[in-house]
Amino acid sequence: MQIGVLTGGGDCAGLNAAIRAVVRTAGHELDRSVVGYRRGWNGVLDGDSVELDPDAVRGTLPRGGTMLGTSRSSRRLQTEGPAPLIAQLERDGVEALVTIGGDGTLITSHRLSEAGFPVVAVPKTIDNDVFGTDVCIGFDTALGVATEAVDRLHTTAQSHDRIMVLEVMGRETGHIAAGAGIAGGAAAILVPESPFNIDEIAERLIARHHRDRNASIIVVAEGAIPDGSVAVPDTGTDEWGNRVLDGMGQFVGDLLGQRTGFETRTTVLGYIQRGGPPSPSDRLLGSRLGARAVEVLMEGCTGHLVGVHSTEIALRPLGEVAGRTRYLTGDQLELLDLITTAPVLTRVTSSRRWF
Ligand code: F6P
């Protein structure tokens, strides 16, 4: 069996471990090199590929990003569907494909599978929002970077008696914000899953600072949204009709500064979260999922996501998971409420003690 591999969507740490595992497993089990497509689906459409043998992936484990390059979804794919992909894959002699990507990649993989081409998908994204897996490649590294940022911001917050706001990525979910906020001991964590009330947060911070805790860290997910208490800044939509996520951290920082009167500074962590060497967990996860993806194809299974449930590798049909989003659960939101100074849930009861 001739296997192809590609990475799609935003880059993250741990992709090279997955590519390497695909290549090494194909080398061991099939005694064949793998066709690597450059720049995601665009590489397939353009016939832009490279032969990957074990030598080609040597030394890539500690490297961030993707050695194959990547791209976001293309208009051509939207309009023409999987036919041009299948035509090129057949021209290249590729009989089965491993795709490593987030939801956009899963949707295209599902279309490809429905059209009869053997494909399995491996979940990756720092956002950790792929439905059907407990964890995605890249999340652990991003979480480590964001937590370290919170740790470092504590220093200035304490030295200057300031509110320090940190905006992290995550699109419409708060996995990075919740993880880094809890691990770093933030006073408030604002996530898209629960609209925030800026006045309530300001009140809690004023009360907290009156109790001689003059330093507060606020972690804001880029996709966080206020409840009706303030108007949401209009950042427009992108070419796919998605809300452009831009400036929520600064917006929150400005409002908190005005409402509390405390000195407030905002940091946007941005692409730092996606870059740099993968954590050991992401290298392990990429290696496990990449190797299993090849085995799954060899077993004749197609159209599945190769993800993780609890500690085990678990397969889910792409038809059940593509196009869906994994949000923070009610339990996770409750935890934010229980251990931060300012609540995230608008439905909290006033009888609860916060301090
Ligand atoms: O999906 C990963 C992610 O880093 C999001 O957290 C972020 O909103 C988005 O990608 C940024 O996308 P781009 O690389 O296209 O600017």
Side-chain angles (χ1 to χ4, degrees):
M1 180 192 285
Q2 177 65 67
I3 289 181
V5 64
L6 63 82
T7 49
D11 76 328
C12 65
L15 293 171
N16 291 325
I19 297 166
R20 176 179 176 273
V22 168
V23 171
R24 290 180 74 104
T25 307
H28 280 134
E29 301 294 322
L30 298 164
D31 198 21
R32 297 198 73 139
S33 55
V34 165
V35 176
Y37 286 99
R38 295 195 181 92
R39 299 174 291 108
W41 297 110
N42 287 334
V44 184
L45 290 172
D46 298 343
D48 185 5
S49 63
V50 58
E51 185 185 336
L52 297 176
D53 61 14
D55 276 348
V57 292
R58 184 162 297 142
T60 55
L61 270 178
R63 279 168 47 194
T66 162
M67 61 179 288
L68 286 173
T70 185
S71 60
R72 297 282 184 194
S73 194
S74 78
R75 279 274 168 230
R76 194 170 157 206
L77 268 186
Q78 305 284 316
T79 49
E80 295 181 38
L85 294 174
I86 294 175
Q88 184 62 44
L89 289 162
E90 284 175 355
R91 270 196 291 279
D92 292 337
V94 171
E95 295 157 292
L97 192 62
V98 177
T99 62
I100 308 167
D103 189 47
T105 308
L106 261 58
I107 290 172
T108 305
S109 301
H110 179 45
R111 292 204 184 117
L112 201 57
S113 162
E114 279 189 319
F117 194 88
V119 56
V120 291
V122 170
K124 72 84 221 173
T125 167
I126 66 164
D127 305 338
N128 214 25
D129 62 353
V130 172
F131 196 87
T133 182
D134 293 350
V135 64
C136 300
I137 296 168
F139 174 65
D140 184 71
T141 305
L143 182 59
V145 172
T147 303
E148 188 189 339
V150 175
D151 289 347
R152 288 177 182 276
L153 289 173
H154 271 296
T155 317
T156 303
Q158 282 158 5
S159 305
H160 289 262
D161 290 351
R162 279 180 184 163
I163 295 176
M164 300 294 281
V165 174
L166 176 69
E167 181 190 294
V168 297
M169 285 183 164
R171 294 209 57 82
E172 304 291 348
T173 64
H175 296 284
I176 299 176
I182 291 170
I189 304 167
L190 311 188
V191 294
E193 287 87 344
S194 179
F196 60 87
N197 183 301
I198 198 73
D199 297 315
E200 199 170 354
I201 294 169
E203 250 175 58
R204 303 275 179 197
L205 293 177
I206 290 168
R208 174 182 154 90
H209 284 225
H210 283 158
R211 289 174 17 259
D212 277 347
R213 297 199 193 161
N214 294 330
S216 296
I217 307 288
I218 317 296
V219 177
V220 180
E222 63 178 350
I225 37 167
D227 61 7
S229 54
V230 276
V232 189
D234 183 12
T235 45
T237 51
D238 65 16
E239 58 172 325
W240 309 104
N242 300 317
R243 175 167 67 114
V244 171
L245 305 176
D246 186 23
M248 189 49 71
Q250 192 64 54
F251 177 70
V252 168
D254 290 348
L255 289 177
L256 287 179
Q258 287 157 15
R259 280 166 167 69
T260 62
F262 303 138
E263 232 180 25
T264 305
R265 297 286 189 272
T266 300
T267 301
V268 179
L269 199 51
Y271 297 90
I272 305 288
Q273 292 156 98
R274 290 202 341 212
S279 67
S281 289
D282 273 329
R283 297 181 202 193
L284 283 171
L285 184 62
S287 301
R288 285 177 76 198
L289 299 184
R292 185 73 190 121
V294 172
E295 287 177 344
V296 164
L297 286 173
M298 287 172 58
E299 288 160 12
C301 175
T302 172
H304 279 71
L305 176 73
V306 184
V308 175
H309 179 59
S310 185
T311 57
E312 301 299 316
I313 293 183
L315 303 185
R316 292 285 298 270
L318 286 173
E320 283 179 15
V321 298
R324 297 175 71 182
T325 303
R326 193 177 76 89
Y327 294 101
L328 288 172
T329 62
D331 280 357
Q332 288 170 315
L333 291 171
E334 282 283 331
L335 179 60
L336 299 193
D337 246 15
L338 290 170
I339 67 167
T340 59
T341 297
V344 295
L345 296 179
T346 47
R347 61 185 166 81
V348 289
T349 58
S350 53
S351 61
R352 193 170 266 171
R353 290 183 61 240
W354 296 104
F355 306 105

